[in-house]
Amino acid sequence: MKWKRFKRERISLNYTVMLLPHSQKKPIHFKTPVWTFGLIFLGILALSGTCLFFAGSRHQLKEVQSEKEQLEREWILLAVEKEMADEENESLRQAREQQEQELKQLEERTRDTIRELEELVERENQIRQELGLDPSASEDSSEDEEGSETDSVRTADTEIPLGAESSISHTERTMSFLAIQKELSNLQNSLSQMSGQYDGYLNTIEEKKEAEAAEIARREAVRRTVVTSALQFVGNPYVYGGNDPHTGADCSGFTRYILSHYGGVYLNRTAASQSSQGRAVSADEARPGDLVFYSSGGHVNHVAIYIGDGRVVHASNERTGITTSDMYYRTPSKIVNVLGD
């Protein structure tokens, strides 16, 4: 009896529902167990939670979609910048090759000119020897004197007795002498022109060498600037995904900022993609400003800037931040020259 009474009074609840409160009909009375009420209440809570969950997920999905679109736009811009940088690097490489080719041609023309000058000098000396002149003299004057009352005639500094028999007549000797003098004059003019052209070649070669020396000095200055600028950020924090070492950067963001702002070189965003740029060099060929890459499991996951004397500067991790280390604190997987010299 007690159980039935308890069941009637505690487990079951009485409800009265008035469907038509202004009508003359009696209200509807019904009973429902407590657990049924509890299930209905929990169902309402679950439904409300599900609606809130899907609403929040939809909002997050929109944010993710927006971020994805932004990243895609940035990727397109980066691809365009990379293409422009590649075209510029290719133009610089072609210009350098053309300069080297012109310099080689100029050196060949200079050697040819020197050889022609030697041949001209040798020919001039032969002609002077044939005339009986001093080879060291630049010009000789010859006078032909005739005298009806004298016993001899001087032609080209050679005395011929009047009564002597000769196989060459006086007129023929004079004409031959004048022809040789004309040839000698032409050779001297050619020699003078060749000398001027040779001097011009020498000046051009010197200008080329000075320009190359200036370019080498400029590139070395760029490398020093890259290293000095990178070292000024030592002690700044490491921030994953960061691009500015003033406020914090990761390893590839650090190298990308330094090389673009102080080296004039465009780099990709990640360490793995940066490792495919530039020209690979050995550890013995590494120079300050080159990039040193490290890998784990065959995948490049870190990059640093070589500063010389076997050391690098890099955004290491959140604990140490931007710091300097021995280049072999990990085994380098690749060293790359991205400055193009």
Side-chain angles (χ1 to χ4, degrees), residues 141-262:
S141 60
S142 299
E143 296 179 354
D144 295 332
E145 298 179 356
E146 290 186 50
S148 57
E149 297 178 356
T150 58
D151 295 334
S152 63
V153 177
R154 292 181 59 84
T155 303
D157 295 335
T158 304
E159 293 186 357
I160 302 177
L162 283 176
E165 293 181 358
S166 176
S167 60
I168 303 176
S169 65
H170 176 72
T171 303
E172 291 175 344
R173 290 176 62 86
T174 302
M175 293 178 64
S176 176
F177 177 73
L178 293 175
I180 292 175
Q181 274 191 327
K182 183 177 180 180
E183 182 180 0
L184 179 60
S185 177
N186 293 333
L187 289 174
Q188 287 177 340
N189 292 334
S190 299
L191 181 61
S192 177
Q193 293 176 358
M194 289 294 183
S195 297
Q197 188 176 7
Y198 175 69
D199 292 338
Y201 287 159
L202 289 181
N203 293 334
T204 304
I205 291 175
E206 290 299 325
E207 292 175 357
K208 290 279 188 181
K209 290 182 178 178
E210 291 176 358
E212 288 184 354
E215 179 64 16
I216 292 174
R218 185 192 69 80
R219 292 180 179 273
E220 290 299 326
V222 169
R223 287 183 174 272
R224 290 194 297 270
T225 301
V226 167
V227 172
T228 303
S229 302
L231 291 175
Q232 72 177 343
F233 296 107
V234 171
N236 285 15
Y238 173 98
V239 176
Y240 180 77
N243 293 296
D244 189 348
H246 291 91
T247 56
D250 58 14
C251 63
S252 57
F254 176 66
T255 56
R256 187 170 187 255
Y257 182 92
I258 296 298
L259 268 299
S260 63
H261 284 76
Y262 304 104

Side-chain angles (χ1 to χ4, degrees), residues 1 13 30-31 63 71 147 150 152 182 203 221-222 230 239 251 267 273 286 295-296 305-306 331-332:
M1 294 298 293
L13 298 178
F30 63 91
K31 294 182 179 182
E63 291 183 351
L71 289 175
T150 58
S152 63
K182 183 177 180 180
N203 293 334
V222 169
V239 176
C251 63
L267 290 181
S273 59
S295 61
S296 176
I305 300 175
Y306 184 68
T331 302

Side-chain angles (χ1 to χ4, degrees), residues 4-60:
K4 292 182 178 180
R5 184 178 179 182
F6 174 79
K7 183 178 178 181
R8 183 175 63 254
E9 295 179 356
R10 299 297 183 184
I11 296 180
S12 299
L13 298 178
N14 295 323
Y15 293 94
T16 300
V17 179
M18 297 182 67
L19 299 177
L20 299 172
H22 298 288
S23 67
Q24 299 298 326
K25 294 181 178 181
K26 294 181 179 181
I28 300 175
H29 295 273
F30 63 91
K31 294 182 179 182
T32 180
V34 174
W35 60 269
T36 303
F37 176 80
L39 288 177
I40 294 173
F41 180 74
L42 292 176
I44 294 173
L45 288 179
L47 181 62
S48 301
T50 303
C51 293
L52 291 175
F53 173 77
F54 281 108
S57 300
R58 185 176 181 182
H59 179 69
Q60 292 181 353

Side-chain angles (χ1 to χ4, degrees), residues 33-183:
V34 174
W35 60 269
T36 303
F37 176 80
L39 288 177
I40 294 173
F41 180 74
L42 292 176
I44 294 173
L45 288 179
L47 181 62
S48 301
T50 303
C51 293
L52 291 175
F53 173 77
F54 281 108
S57 300
R58 185 176 181 182
H59 179 69
Q60 292 181 353
L61 183 61
K62 288 183 178 179
E63 291 183 351
V64 171
Q65 183 68 23
S66 178
E67 292 179 358
K68 178 184 177 183
E69 293 175 356
Q70 180 67 22
L71 289 175
E72 289 177 350
R73 287 194 294 269
E74 292 181 0
W75 176 260
I76 293 173
L77 292 176
L78 291 176
V80 173
E81 292 178 1
K82 180 180 182 300
E83 185 177 357
M84 294 175 61
D86 291 341
E87 292 177 357
E88 184 178 356
N89 290 337
E90 181 65 19
S91 300
L92 291 175
R93 185 187 64 79
Q94 293 178 358
R96 180 177 179 84
E97 291 179 354
Q98 184 176 0
Q99 289 179 353
E100 292 177 351
Q101 186 176 3
E102 291 177 356
L103 183 60
K104 289 181 180 180
Q105 293 176 355
L106 190 58
E107 291 176 350
E108 292 177 358
R109 288 200 297 267
T110 301
R111 287 193 293 268
D112 294 338
T113 303
I114 293 175
R115 186 168 59 254
E116 292 177 1
L117 286 173
E118 293 175 350
E119 293 176 354
L120 288 173
V121 171
E122 184 179 358
R123 178 58 180 163
E124 182 183 9
N125 291 335
Q126 291 177 356
I127 292 174
R128 291 184 181 277
Q129 289 177 0
E130 291 177 0
L131 293 175
L133 302 176
D134 184 6
S136 62
S138 60
E139 290 186 2
D140 289 327
S141 60
S142 299
E143 296 179 354
D144 295 332
E145 298 179 356
E146 290 186 50
S148 57
E149 297 178 356
T150 58
D151 295 334
S152 63
V153 177
R154 292 181 59 84
T155 303
D157 295 335
T158 304
E159 293 186 357
I160 302 177
L162 283 176
E165 293 181 358
S166 176
S167 60
I168 303 176
S169 65
H170 176 72
T171 303
E172 291 175 344
R173 290 176 62 86
T174 302
M175 293 178 64
S176 176
F177 177 73
L178 293 175
I180 292 175
Q181 274 191 327
K182 183 177 180 180
E183 182 180 0

